[in-house]
Amino acid sequence: MKKGQSNGLWQTIEKDLRSYPVDKLWLADESNDKLGVLLFGEGIAAGRLGPLLSDLAPDFLSSGRPAKVICVPEVVRRVCEMRDELERWKRLSSIDPLTGLANFRHFREMLVAELDRVLRTKLPCALVMIDIDHFKAINDTHGHENGNQALKFVANVIKDQIRKIDFAARYGGEEFAVILPGTHLGKAVEVAKRLCAVVRDSVVQLDAVAARLTVSAGVAVCKADEIVSPELLIQRADEQLYCAKKQGRDRVCFRPSPQKEELCQVTVEERTHLFRLRDAVHRV
Amino acid sequence: MKKSKLENHPPMILSITSGKGGVGKTSFAVNLAVALSQKSRKVLLIDGDLGLANVDVVLGLNVRSTIQETIENGADPATLMVKVAPGFFVLPASSGVPEMASLSLEEQAFLTGTLERIIDGFDYVLVDTAAGIGESVLWLNTWAQETIIVLSPDPTSMTDAYALIKVLHARYGRDRFQLLVNSVKGKKEGEEVFANMATVLYRFLKVTPQSLGYIPQDSAVVRGIRSQKPFLEMQPDSHASKAVIGIAEKIMHLPRRVTAVLAP
């Protein structure tokens, strides 16, 4: 068996193929009109070699009999290129190039999937919407390049703080969204508060300036007994983010669950204490 | 040294709210605005009682266009502002329009978005909310940076103020409240009411309110309301007027919550 030199193009295929139990492997370089010939032994079904080979060599024997695969260089090259191209497009279409986080489109898809999971697993899913405070001012004062640095910084803080199963995305210009599967409101608020604290306590280098950034966050949860649409969950988290901004920024806002709403009622004990005030005040 | 653009402070937004009606919220809001403008501050007073306007009544204004125009016809609120005195502007509400008291979430967001665009240039924006703990009271309170709770020494007022604080705290996580005791017999009553409220608030809610002060019962106040003129203008030396001026000074010393990016 003659083993030729594998060039770069072949290295990809070669690696794949070597993991299969082929008896013999024969590669030739491009100067031949055959790029490569594979010989493999009995008992190995063609299907195990996967779609790669079926792309390369449509006429193919499916029994375990020894067979030859003859590859046409152009086809091989194109298949490899297409595969790379496909990977690149997949990444482009789901990653935000500046921060390395998922982009909005991908986030939407993930949120739909996660809310489905809530139905299946009966575990709640939390959504945290995070927004850099005074971002417009940063851009105006320090320029867009530094605005980008600020974005990257916050994105990195988020990446550091979340678990592997959590999912972070760049939701908009200066807004981020984090999906926390299997997480209750209390825990989600803890995570959000920690994120705020880390950003608040760090000093960021924007050009030659040591600057301090803060973020505001809004938290909403979808529970199994009250499934919401992705739009509604995003809207709820956004409302809380809005409140955080209104209340002064650099904070986390969340809406307590409906059971907690009863906690808003003034209790008998509180009233008693308040009415004792009446006696106290009337003594004046 | 590089001058940060953030040195031009955005306006401080304060809500004036009470829970119970009739404790003197609007009268206080108007006179506070007068006091601040007299100290060369530019003030916008927004009548947050969107369906039952009061600010214009207290001031004796003849109002033709209100915030309703903004919601329904997209009118620029800047054109609706009424100049009452140098540095004192009013954004009036509509009278007898129930829909305005129950705006949808989109309308609320639209309104606050619009308002945020026109409040640039003001030092202080005061929002006089409606009475009660309805939706409009709550969302206007969350829009503001500082919440001034006006109460009087009577138990219903204190209970309602407590209930309002409880909702704002439990539902919206607000923990800063400025308490103002109105219509007190004297300093002692003012201080006692505050102390007692603070005790109960801390005991049950772990909330520590700030004291904005108190305003004594004063015939000047009644006279002002009857004549539809701010008592601060009619009788600037009255006890009530002096109290309001003191409160204005306290407000001017409140820290502004602006997180600026440091310049070198």
Side-chain angles (χ1 to χ4, degrees):
Chain A
M1 180 182 77
K2 189 164 125 192
K3 188 155 155 245
Q5 294 148 324
S6 1
N7 57 24
L9 193 60
W10 271 106
Q11 271 161 14
T12 325
I13 306 177
E14 196 184 22
K15 230 189 322 164
D16 285 345
L17 294 178
R18 284 198 188 283
S19 62
Y20 294 114
V22 292
D23 265 353
K24 288 158 202 204
L25 181 65
W26 187 25
L27 302 168
D29 56 10
E30 282 177 58
S31 56
N32 294 3
D33 52 2
K34 302 193 220 37
L35 252 183
V37 174
L38 282 176
L39 304 169
F40 53 100
E42 284 181 307
I44 300 170
R48 281 172 61 193
L49 294 181
L52 179 71
L53 287 181
S54 58
D55 282 343
L56 299 174
D59 35 349
F60 195 76
L61 297 174
S62 58
S63 69
R65 281 171 292 157
K68 281 187 208 170
V69 175
I70 302 193
C71 310
V72 178
E74 273 319 301
V75 171
V76 170
R77 196 165 298 135
R78 247 183 297 145
V79 166
C80 287
E81 280 171 10
M82 274 168 58
R83 202 179 33 186
D84 289 339
E85 193 75 12
L86 192 64
E87 284 306 305
R88 213 170 341 125
W89 277 112
K90 264 204 212 156
R91 262 176 292 133
L92 265 179
S93 66
S94 38
I95 301 277
D96 165 57
L98 178 69
T99 58
L101 297 177
N103 63 14
F104 172 79
R105 203 189 57 82
H106 196 200
F107 163 75
R108 246 341 233 73
E109 286 171 2
M110 288 302 294
L111 188 57
V112 169
E114 281 306 323
L115 293 183
D116 263 348
R117 197 195 302 258
V118 172
L119 264 172
R120 287 198 316 272
T121 62
K122 306 289 180 235
L123 288 171
C125 176
L127 175 65
V128 184
M129 303 294 281
I130 301 156
D131 194 289
I132 301 183
D133 296 333
H134 302 295
F135 188 66
K136 188 175 177 301
I138 295 172
N139 266 336
D140 291 345
T141 316
H142 296 272
H144 277 85
E145 238 336 281
N146 284 309
N148 287 346
Q149 291 304 314
L151 281 167
K152 274 163 68 167
F153 171 75
V154 174
N156 286 336
V157 170
I158 294 175
K159 277 188 239 180
D160 277 338
Q161 294 295 320
I162 61 177
R163 308 165 296 182
K164 273 205 156 62
I165 62 165
D166 300 326
F167 184 79
R170 183 174 173 193
Y171 187 77
E174 73 252 36
E175 205 174 340
F176 301 90
V178 184
I179 303 174
L180 305 165
T183 307
H184 289 274
L185 181 65
K187 186 76 195 177
V189 171
E190 233 181 77
V191 172
K193 282 187 172 164
R194 197 171 57 231
L195 277 166
C196 286
V198 173
V199 174
R200 186 190 309 136
D201 295 338
S202 314
V203 179
V204 193
Q205 283 296 125
L206 300 184
D207 268 352
V209 181
R212 282 190 182 276
L213 300 173
T214 61
V215 295
S216 303
V219 185
V221 170
C222 171
K223 289 163 61 164
D225 54 4
E226 201 221 337
I227 299 286
V228 293
S229 67
E231 289 75 26
L232 186 54
L233 188 61
I234 294 173
Q235 186 189 320
R236 283 185 180 171
D238 248 344
E239 271 166 31
Q240 296 308 313
L241 172 59
Y242 192 71
C243 280
K245 295 277 187 188
K246 289 322 123 217
Q247 290 176 25
R249 299 178 161 87
D250 187 17
R251 52 180 51 212
V252 179
C253 262
F254 58 96
R255 183 153 180 162
S257 39
Q259 301 98 303
K260 287 216 181 130
E261 300 237 338
E262 282 147 26
L263 292 179
C264 290
Q265 285 187 340
V266 180
T267 64
V268 173
E269 212 195 340
E270 285 165 325
R271 281 191 151 223
T272 315
H273 275 81
L274 280 168
F275 289 158
R276 270 196 217 139
L277 303 181
R278 170 181 49 192
D279 303 330
V281 164
H282 278 227
R283 262 186 267 118
V284 170
Chain B
M1 179 156 128
K2 199 159 111 190
K3 181 175 165 136
S4 166
K5 280 196 182 169
L6 294 163
E7 276 178 12
N8 301 324
H9 293 298
M12 180 188 274
I13 306 175
L14 303 103
S15 65
I16 296 157
T17 194
S18 61
K20 184 165 193 326
V23 298
K25 242 190 312 69
T26 306
S27 169
F28 166 66
V30 164
N31 284 277
L32 176 62
V34 171
L36 288 168
S37 66
Q38 281 177 354
K39 289 182 186 295
S40 311
R41 299 296 189 270
K42 203 166 171 212
V43 185
L44 175 65
L45 172 57
I46 300 177
D47 191 343
D49 197 342
L50 299 174
L52 286 174
N54 279 156
V55 171
D56 51 344
V57 177
V58 168
L59 284 166
L61 297 176
N62 257 332
V63 166
R64 269 165 300 155
S65 312
T66 71
I67 289 186
Q68 189 182 5
E69 302 290 314
T70 301
I71 306 269
E72 292 185 355
N73 306 324
D76 183 359
T79 60
L80 305 170
M81 281 194 256
V82 178
K83 182 172 178 175
V84 176
F88 177 15
F89 293 75
V90 167
L91 191 59
S94 43
S95 196
V97 185
E99 294 73 35
M100 289 298 292
S102 48
L103 296 179
S104 67
L105 275 174
E106 285 91 357
E107 286 166 328
Q108 290 169 22
F110 170 71
L111 189 58
T112 47
T114 318
L115 289 175
E116 282 184 350
R117 266 176 275 131
I118 59 149
I119 60 177
D120 243 354
F122 286 98
D123 297 306
Y124 295 97
V125 175
L126 306 179
V127 185
D128 178 28
T129 75
I133 53 170
E135 187 68 30
S136 78
V137 172
L138 298 178
W139 71 266
L140 281 173
N141 273 315
T142 56
W143 183 56
Q145 291 150 18
E146 298 283 344
T147 310
I148 301 175
I149 310 268
V150 180
L151 59 150
S152 64
D154 83 78
T156 51
S157 167
M158 292 192 286
T159 312
D160 289 359
Y162 180 85
L164 174 59
I165 292 174
K166 188 169 186 186
V167 172
L168 289 173
H169 177 69
R171 230 202 253 185
Y172 301 93
R174 285 193 89 90
D175 51 15
R176 234 180 33 254
F177 301 95
Q178 307 280 345
L179 259 49
L180 172 68
V181 193
N182 201 10
S183 315
V184 296
K185 286 200 200 72
K187 172 172 164 157
K188 198 162 177 214
E189 186 172 58
E191 287 175 350
E192 278 223 17
V193 171
F194 173 78
N196 290 333
M197 283 293 288
T199 307
V200 186
L201 281 168
Y202 186 76
R203 181 184 168 141
F204 291 96
L205 303 178
K206 297 287 170 276
V207 163
T208 307
Q210 310 292 315
S211 171
L212 202 53
Y214 56 86
I215 302 176
Q217 287 170 353
D218 196 330
S219 51
V221 176
V222 180
R223 226 167 284 138
I225 294 188
R226 295 268 162 82
S227 3
Q228 291 180 289
K229 283 201 191 77
F231 58 78
L232 210 85
E233 279 176 3
M234 284 180 73
Q235 288 178 254
D237 293 322
S238 63
H239 291 296
S241 300
K242 289 195 181 142
V244 172
I245 291 171
I247 289 163
E249 277 163 7
K250 259 198 189 162
I251 284 173
M252 279 158 56
H253 284 103
L254 285 177
R256 283 182 180 272
R257 301 174 57 82
V258 176
T259 311
V261 174
L262 300 175

